[in-house]
């Protein structure tokens, strides 16, 4: 089992999805396995997981986070996205491979139901400040590791006790918060060794999170070496190979590799694409006040298009008794 304490440093190496401990659910219709990659890598705030549902499985109970935005990317298989704003407004939408789903904080209750081929999704959450989750089906709340009413059964058991979830026929027209990666706007370009071909979940309504897909040709770089002051970033290799350069260290990347960059690490990072090219998922939070430092060019990006130089300086405490 991975040691979070060993991985949480500013120059922590990549991990692989197969090395992340698996959690299993099997309570009524709630059948799934989850690998919490963000926790395994020592994430400060981001929640990142891969959830696998067997055919017909459902997970988790219908829920809505009070203050946490979520983004889902379907990696394999297909099924239904179940959503409800009230007991009178219940909908389902067909979802399939490479579909992106955005669930805003305080939005409709939602869950996933696997189709006959099963369903595997990448889940990104910004991290909650209140840890309050509304569970409308059981009329309760999840409060971090506890729940309310306190004398109620575990929320999974309470959901299972209500029997099968009522699922309406899929609505043909999907909302603007569900779209396939192939249908999102493509931003692409090349400048020397730097190349990008990016599709971003912000086009589907994400406001607090970045989940971007990059298709990069062999031998290129995704960005200049950099680090963020307040943003947390992480990266997942879907296909291809390459190197994660973290500080002065080089780490090999392959499909299933995952690495996390904490905020204010002072350690720059960069992804170098190998001879087979790479499909890379970049994830992160959009927190205010972030600055991005590029040590090789000695510049700091204040915001889009605004840069200032930086260099050695004298601390205001130097020379003080």
């Amino acid at each position: 089992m991975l040691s979070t304490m060993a991985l949480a440093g500013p120059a922590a190496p990549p991990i692989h999805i197969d090395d992340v401990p698996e959690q299993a659910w099997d309570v009524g219709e709630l059948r799934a396995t989850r690998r919490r990659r963000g926790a395994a890598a020592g994430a400060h705030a981001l929640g990142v997981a891969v959830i696998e549902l067997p055919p017909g499985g459902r997970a988790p109970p219908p829920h809505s986070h009070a203050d946490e935005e979520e983004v889902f990317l379907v990696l394999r298989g297909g099924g239904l996205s179940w959503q409800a704003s009230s007991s009178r407004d219940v909908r389902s939408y067909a979802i399939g491979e490479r579909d992106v789903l955005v669930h805003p904080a305080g939005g409709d209750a939602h869950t996933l139901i696997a189709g006959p081929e099963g369903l595997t999704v990448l889940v990104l959450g910004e991290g909650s400040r209140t840890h309050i989750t509304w569970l409308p089906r059981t009329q309760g709340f999840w409060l971090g590791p506890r729940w309310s009413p306190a004398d109620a059964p575990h929320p999974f058991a309470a959901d299972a006790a209500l029997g099968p979830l009522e699922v309406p026929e899929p609505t043909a027209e999907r909302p603007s918060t569900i779209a396939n990666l192939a249908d999102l706007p493509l931003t692409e370009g090349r400048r020397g060794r730097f190349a990008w071909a990016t599709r971003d979940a912000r086009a589907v309504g994400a406001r607090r999170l970045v989940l971007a897909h990059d298709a990069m040709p062999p031998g290129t770089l995704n960005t200049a070496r950099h680090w963020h002051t307040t943003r947390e970033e992480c990266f997942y290799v879907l296909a291809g190979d390459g190197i994660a350069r973290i500080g002065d260290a080089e780490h090999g990347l392959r499909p299933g590799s995952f690495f996390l960059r904490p905020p204010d690490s002072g350690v720059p990072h960069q992804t170098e694409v190998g001879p087979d090219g790479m499909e890379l998922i970049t994830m992160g939070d959009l927190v205010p006040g972030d600055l991005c430092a590029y040590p090789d060019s000695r510049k700091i990006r204040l915001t889009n298009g605004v840069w200032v130089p930086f260099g050695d300086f004298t601390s205001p405490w130097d020379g003080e008794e």
Side-chain angles (χ1 to χ4, degrees):
M1 180 176 293
L2 290 170
S3 168
T4 299
M5 294 300 293
L7 294 170
I15 61 177
H16 193 271
I17 183 65
D18 292 341
D19 298 324
V20 178
E22 191 175 81
Q23 298 174 313
W25 306 323
D26 191 357
V27 185
E29 290 184 329
L30 303 174
R31 293 180 291 121
T33 58
R34 178 176 67 174
R35 295 180 189 264
R36 298 179 63 202
R37 292 180 301 168
H44 289 230
L46 290 177
V48 187
V50 170
I51 298 178
E52 297 185 46
L53 287 73
R58 172 167 65 86
H63 68 283
S64 174
H65 295 289
D67 65 344
E68 182 176 12
E69 184 173 86
E70 290 182 302
V71 181
F72 294 71
L73 172 64
V74 179
L75 299 178
R76 290 182 296 277
L80 296 174
S81 168
W82 183 100
Q83 302 186 25
S85 62
S86 69
S87 59
R88 297 181 179 180
D89 178 27
V90 180
R91 293 152 276 120
S92 75
Y93 306 100
I95 56 174
E97 189 169 333
R98 305 244 167 168
D99 277 341
V100 179
L101 298 78
V102 173
H103 294 291
D108 289 355
H110 56 275
T111 188
L112 296 171
I113 303 165
E117 298 180 354
L119 177 65
T120 302
V121 294
L122 172 65
V123 183
L124 172 67
E126 65 176 304
S128 172
R129 289 149 293 278
T130 65
H131 302 289
I132 296 174
T133 301
W134 167 234
L135 303 166
R137 192 169 189 240
T138 59
Q139 295 294 291
F141 292 90
W142 214 312
L143 308 172
R146 298 178 175 83
W147 54 88
S148 178
D151 58 353
H154 186 283
F156 278 33
D159 183 276
L162 295 175
L165 180 68
E166 181 181 344
V167 182
E169 288 295 315
T171 300
E173 184 175 351
R174 304 195 300 187
S176 61
T177 51
I178 302 177
N180 195 268
L181 274 176
D183 297 327
L184 300 186
L186 175 65
T187 302
E188 60 183 332
R190 183 155 187 169
R191 187 175 300 168
R193 284 192 67 195
F194 297 102
W196 58 95
T198 308
R199 303 179 193 271
D200 195 325
R202 282 175 283 187
V204 197
R207 295 292 176 266
R208 302 180 184 180
L209 290 169
V210 171
L211 188 150
H213 173 276
D214 258 307
M216 294 176 290
T220 59
L221 305 171
N222 67 337
T223 66
R225 295 193 322 137
H226 68 283
W227 53 273
H228 290 274
T229 58
T230 60
R231 283 187 59 190
E232 188 167 39
E233 287 187 307
C234 55
F235 305 87
Y236 180 50
V237 179
L238 285 183
D241 58 5
I243 293 171
R245 189 176 296 279
I246 302 173
D248 294 327
E250 295 182 0
H251 305 279
L253 297 175
R254 58 190 173 96
S257 292
F258 175 82
F259 67 100
L260 183 138
R261 305 303 307 133
D264 205 25
S265 69
V267 178
H269 66 271
Q270 179 182 60
T271 301
E272 301 179 9
V273 182
D276 295 329
M278 183 183 291
E279 285 190 72
L280 183 69
I281 300 296
T282 299
M283 296 166 278
D285 48 12
L286 293 170
V287 292
D290 180 63
L291 305 177
C292 189
Y294 293 83
D296 296 335
S297 60
R298 310 295 291 173
K299 292 181 180 178
I300 294 177
R301 188 181 67 187
L302 304 182
T303 187
N304 289 338
V306 180
W307 304 75
V308 295
F310 76 88
D312 296 333
F313 67 93
T314 300
S315 166
W317 292 278
D318 285 353
E320 295 290 335
E321 294 294 333

